[in-house]
Amino acid sequence: PDSNQVAFTSDDFSCFHLIDEMAARGWGVQPQFGYHGSEPNVHISIGQKTFDQSGDFLAALRASVEASREKGFSQTAAKVKAELSRMNAPDFKPAMLADLMRIAGLEDGQLPRKSAELNQVLNVLPPRITEFVLTDFMNDRYIYRAKR
């Protein structure tokens, strides 16, 4: 085939670290949040470039797995998940969301340099809240603001 797709996850570390590690090595792989029983995973589209450079790609993937293994899972995301499990949905306020995103590295409309922490926090939020966060971020990022 002209292209192929692969998805995988890990029980040993957050697969979201792999996204940052591969990017640092010049390769783009995609994060995919867990949803309805599906685990969070790494999604790779294998096209001709990846196929032609498969040795380099696999070397980068091995090194990225080793680097990610050392990082484990986010303690911040674990705390967010524990806190959310104790809350009722109506208790969740927009101000709380802003605090969560700041803790995850999203501040002043700017994404963090590395996305693993942010993705781990977004992954533990209920899907409707994750959708709201992503939509709100994009809306805020691209809203027209007159120069002063």
Side-chain angles (χ1 to χ4, degrees):
D2 293 335
S3 68
N4 199 353
Q5 297 180 346
V6 177
F8 57 90
T9 191
S10 172
D11 293 331
D12 299 328
F13 57 86
S14 169
C15 62
F16 296 124
H17 289 300
L18 203 58
I19 308 304
D20 293 335
E21 292 296 331
M22 288 294 284
R25 290 166 174 79
W27 293 95
V29 295
Q30 301 296 317
Q32 188 167 305
F33 298 129
Y35 190 69
H36 288 291
S38 171
E39 293 293 321
N41 60 78
V42 175
H43 174 95
I44 301 173
S45 296
I46 302 173
Q48 192 63 47
K49 178 186 175 194
T50 308
F51 181 78
D52 290 344
Q53 299 175 11
S54 59
D56 294 338
F57 178 81
L58 291 172
L61 183 59
R62 281 185 204 100
S64 295
V65 166
E66 288 307 312
S68 297
R69 190 173 275 132
E70 296 172 7
K71 296 177 180 177
F73 294 92
S74 167
Q75 295 304 308
T76 301
K79 289 176 187 174
V80 168
K81 186 175 182 177
E83 191 61 35
L84 287 173
S85 71
R86 290 191 289 271
M87 293 178 70
N88 293 320
D91 295 338
F92 196 82
K93 306 288 184 240
M96 298 166 114
L97 190 56
D99 288 341
L100 281 175
M101 293 302 99
R102 197 168 22 264
I103 289 167
L106 183 69
E107 244 179 309
D108 299 325
Q110 299 298 312
L111 289 171
R113 190 173 59 80
K114 294 190 174 188
S115 63
E117 187 74 19
L118 175 61
N119 283 334
Q120 288 178 86
V121 170
L122 289 171
N123 188 64
V124 299
L125 295 176
R128 293 187 73 140
I129 295 175
T130 301
E131 180 182 355
F132 172 78
V133 169
L134 294 173
T135 302
D136 190 57
F137 173 79
M138 294 304 286
N139 286 342
D140 188 52
R141 187 168 179 90
Y142 294 104
I143 193 167
Y144 173 77
R145 291 187 175 90
K147 293 183 180 179
R148 294 179 190 204

